[in-house]
Amino acid sequence: MKGKNSAEIGFFTQVERDKIADDFSKKGFLKNIEVNFVNGKNEQKYLLLSTEIIEIGNVNHALSVYFDITPRKVYEMELINARAMLAEAMSIGKLGSFENNVITKEVTWSKEIYDMFEMPYSNKPLPFGEFVKMIHQDDKDLILKRIEQTAKN
């Protein structure tokens, strides 16, 4: 690969390389640029790149540090996929979830809760007491018992 630039070896597209080169020439450094490529073993890899100019003996050199973030990126992609599958299962099952932070009193709702209460996603979740009032009477005792059990644990 000697003599080939980052676009020629597949680190970046030519457009990405040109943008990065432009940023580098304006700032004089790069910090935490994510790079993905397929290595010689045909494996997808992800790197974090930082580069700056250093002077050694009155000669400028580019000091580049690459950090392999492949495991982190794989976990991120798995988490994104798991969240998508959970959202689909909740939607199909007409289930929702919420979180009530007992310390901050902040309430967070899943998309499905907004759908169930026919509220736009732009609305803030209702305070917990108001939320409980909206639960169907047939379900209220069971839900409140589960919440109480969760709070004890």
Side-chain angles (χ1 to χ4, degrees), residues 18-81:
D18 291 345
K19 182 188 180 314
I20 289 169
D22 185 52
D23 286 349
F24 186 69
S25 68
K26 287 177 183 172
K27 297 178 188 174
F29 67 91
L30 297 173
K31 185 140 176 100
N32 297 331
I33 305 295
E34 287 192 13
V35 178
N36 68 76
F37 65 98
V38 176
N39 69 10
K41 296 179 183 177
N42 207 28
E43 301 166 324
Q44 183 73 43
K45 293 289 184 177
Y46 298 87
L47 302 174
L48 202 57
L49 162 68
S50 293
T51 300
E52 65 181 84
I53 299 295
I54 62 169
E55 187 177 313
I56 302 174
N58 294 326
V59 177
N60 285 341
H61 298 272
L63 174 65
S64 298
V65 177
Y66 290 86
F67 184 71
D68 185 356
I69 59 169
T70 303
R72 185 189 86 194
K73 294 301 284 184
V74 168
Y75 295 140
E76 284 176 8
M77 288 183 282
E78 288 173 355
L79 180 59
I80 289 167
N81 288 337

Side-chain angles (χ1 to χ4, degrees), residues 97-153:
S97 64
F98 70 93
E99 181 179 334
N100 180 37
N101 185 320
V102 293
I103 296 169
T104 66
K105 306 294 185 211
E106 183 179 358
V107 178
T108 307
W109 287 359
S110 69
K111 173 187 173 296
E112 291 74 22
I113 294 288
Y114 284 98
D115 290 343
M116 284 181 215
F117 291 138
E118 298 176 345
M119 293 176 61
Y121 308 131
S122 58
N123 284 16
K124 287 186 175 186
L126 297 172
F128 185 72
E130 294 298 312
F131 168 73
V132 169
K133 289 178 187 175
M134 295 192 66
I135 299 171
H136 192 279
Q137 196 59 41
D138 293 347
D139 300 325
K140 195 174 289 192
D141 288 340
L142 175 65
I143 290 172
L144 291 175
K145 278 184 190 174
R146 295 268 169 91
I147 291 170
E148 186 178 316
Q149 289 170 347
T150 301
K152 287 180 183 177
N153 294 329

